[in-house]
Amino acid sequence: MRRAFDLSLYLVTDPRQTAARGLVETVRLAVAGGATIVQLRDPDAKGRVLAEQARALLAVLRPLGIPLLINDRVDIAVAVDADGVHLGQSDMAPADARALLGPERILGLSVGAPEELAASDLSGVDYVGTGPVKATGTKTDAGAAIGIEGLAALRRAIALPMVGIGGIDLAITPAVIAAGADGVAVVSAICASADPKAAAEALLQAVRAARP
Amino acid sequence: MRRAFDLSLYLVTDPRQTAARGLVETVRLAVAGGATIVQLRDPDAKGRVLAEQARALLAVLRPLGIPLLINDRVDIAVAVDADGVHLGQSDMAPADARALLGPERILGLSVGAPEELAASDLSGVDYVGTGPVKATGTKTDAGAAIGIEGLAALRRAIALPMVGIGGIDLAITPAVIAAGADGVAVVSAICASADPKAAAEALLQAVRAARP
């Protein structure tokens, strides 16, 4: 039985954007404002530091019932007893990850284009992250922007819960939800905000208001 | 019960140095020449590629009874059913890795200086890699060279099986073994050799000849 999760407002952390305020404090403010799920993403961090960061975030998030996912590193997720993992297309195969994660943890997969969907084995995957919706400076190795039309096309092709990601701000959030996403995943809209709590509140309100 | 391993001639792969001949072919020649254990090391590789490389190496090594260890990535090691993992000081804590690896897989840890030994929890660790014995251009983030004297000092302080690493070539191999190492770990001495099989033969012969 999978752990419950809510994609409405999905925070992805970025080490540079959270550096000034601190990772844990940024996440604390984001969930105080309404972030419903958090992904720890720091592709340059070594395992020891990543595990320490994950444990620090779990101390904040678990009492609130907010799931913590780890980007890429299935071993770190299991070692710290995080709630799951988010994989990119070049990370470990989802089926391999599922075997390590067991039946309860959450597994997400990035799917950015119809070709990637065709090449993906979605068995064992719980949700997909689709994008980049717009071009973004945060993740420089992301593919070309797929736009709202691209997201809507993937929505028609994929039955799993879906969160839009990539360049998402308050202005585009209603269109992302109207295109069929269950939520929005943001990095800079919260991490680089002067007021992460207020930013999260506004984003969550926009997601809820845009739902049919 | 741990899987058996022999540290006498420990090959660490390097993606640049094996590129021309190919990773699998380089390893095949090295074990034909006498390499007794192999570590797949490619810190820049993403998980999908690393798993593919590991499976390709296992197809060569398992029939020969030569263990394959994976650098850093415990998840990849378990996913592909490799024989174990080698961790650096900034990788996941050895106790966390042991919990994921189970009781049979081999766990190695790099210990490069007395301070690192003091900070290390060696429970669950099966062998240590000590060095760099000499300065090396292969691993640019390695610490300062500890020399034969440094290796001998760690040998006196650590009861576990020990392999010297870092800048090891045929010339220095007798001194490394005389200082108490159970074997030599090499990268360029095999991977960058024009004849990896002959290089491995000569190194293994030097290790055996140097033993008391």
Side-chain angles (χ1 to χ4, degrees):
Chain A
M1 181 66 181
R2 256 2 150 244
R3 300 184 192 181
F5 63 97
D6 174 355
L7 295 176
S8 297
L9 180 54
Y10 184 129
L11 173 66
V12 182
T13 65
D14 178 87
R16 281 159 298 278
Q17 294 177 23
T18 60
R21 184 176 279 112
L23 172 68
V24 173
E25 178 63 5
T26 305
V27 169
R28 195 187 67 73
L29 291 168
V31 297
T36 56
I37 186 166
V38 177
Q39 178 192 138
L40 173 59
R41 181 173 187 276
D42 189 350
D44 297 328
K46 302 281 281 177
R48 193 75 62 102
V49 165
L50 205 56
E52 286 168 7
Q53 292 176 334
R55 287 180 167 123
L57 292 180
L58 282 169
V60 170
L61 297 174
R62 185 138 295 162
L64 301 172
I66 307 285
L68 177 69
L69 311 184
I70 310 296
N71 184 271
D72 175 23
R73 293 290 301 249
V74 180
D75 44 5
I76 302 295
V78 176
V80 305
D81 189 26
D83 299 285
V85 164
H86 186 87
L87 298 174
Q89 289 281 324
S90 56
D91 296 330
M92 179 185 290
D96 286 342
R98 174 54 69 198
L100 298 172
L101 289 170
E104 295 189 356
R105 290 196 180 85
I106 303 157
L107 179 57
L109 179 69
S110 296
V111 177
E115 314 85 84
E116 288 186 1
L117 176 60
S120 297
D121 176 6
L122 295 181
S123 56
V125 174
D126 297 311
Y127 76 88
V128 294
T130 55
V133 176
K134 290 200 299 184
T136 167
T138 301
K139 189 165 186 291
T140 51
D141 64 340
I146 63 170
I148 295 294
E149 298 71 20
L151 190 150
L154 285 168
R155 172 71 292 176
R156 290 190 290 273
I158 299 175
L160 291 170
M162 175 180 290
V163 62
I165 189 166
I168 293 181
D169 57 15
L170 190 58
I172 203 175
T173 290
V176 172
I177 301 301
D182 299 286
V184 292
V186 300
V187 187
S188 61
I190 289 179
C191 293
S193 169
D195 188 340
K197 179 169 179 283
E201 285 170 345
L203 286 160
L204 184 61
Q205 172 59 27
V207 166
R208 288 181 171 159
R211 283 185 176 147
Chain B
M1 184 61 183
R2 253 7 146 242
R3 300 183 191 182
F5 62 97
D6 174 353
L7 295 176
S8 298
L9 182 54
Y10 184 128
L11 173 66
V12 182
T13 65
D14 178 89
R16 282 159 298 278
Q17 294 177 23
T18 59
R21 185 177 279 111
L23 172 69
V24 173
E25 178 63 6
T26 304
V27 169
R28 195 187 68 73
L29 291 167
V31 297
T36 56
I37 186 166
V38 177
Q39 177 192 140
L40 172 60
R41 182 174 186 276
D42 189 349
D44 296 328
K46 302 280 283 177
R48 193 75 63 101
V49 165
L50 205 57
E52 286 168 6
Q53 292 175 334
R55 287 179 166 123
L57 292 180
L58 283 169
V60 171
L61 297 173
R62 186 137 293 162
L64 301 171
I66 308 286
L68 176 69
L69 310 184
I70 310 296
N71 183 271
D72 176 25
R73 294 290 302 249
V74 180
D75 46 3
I76 302 295
V78 176
V80 305
D81 188 25
D83 298 286
V85 164
H86 186 87
L87 298 175
Q89 289 281 325
S90 57
D91 295 332
M92 179 185 290
D96 287 342
R98 173 54 69 199
L100 297 173
L101 289 170
E104 295 189 357
R105 290 196 180 85
I106 303 157
L107 178 58
L109 179 69
S110 295
V111 177
E115 316 86 84
E116 287 185 1
L117 177 59
S120 297
D121 175 7
L122 295 179
S123 58
V125 173
D126 298 312
Y127 76 88
V128 294
T130 55
V133 176
K134 290 200 299 183
T136 165
T138 300
K139 191 166 184 290
T140 51
D141 64 341
I146 62 171
I148 294 294
E149 297 72 19
L151 192 148
L154 285 168
R155 171 72 293 174
R156 290 190 291 272
I158 299 175
L160 290 169
M162 176 180 289
V163 63
I165 188 165
I168 292 181
D169 57 14
L170 190 58
I172 202 174
T173 289
V176 172
I177 301 301
D182 299 286
V184 292
V186 300
V187 187
S188 60
I190 289 179
C191 293
S193 168
D195 187 340
K197 179 169 180 283
E201 285 170 345
L203 286 160
L204 184 62
Q205 172 59 27
V207 167
R208 289 182 172 159
R211 283 186 175 145

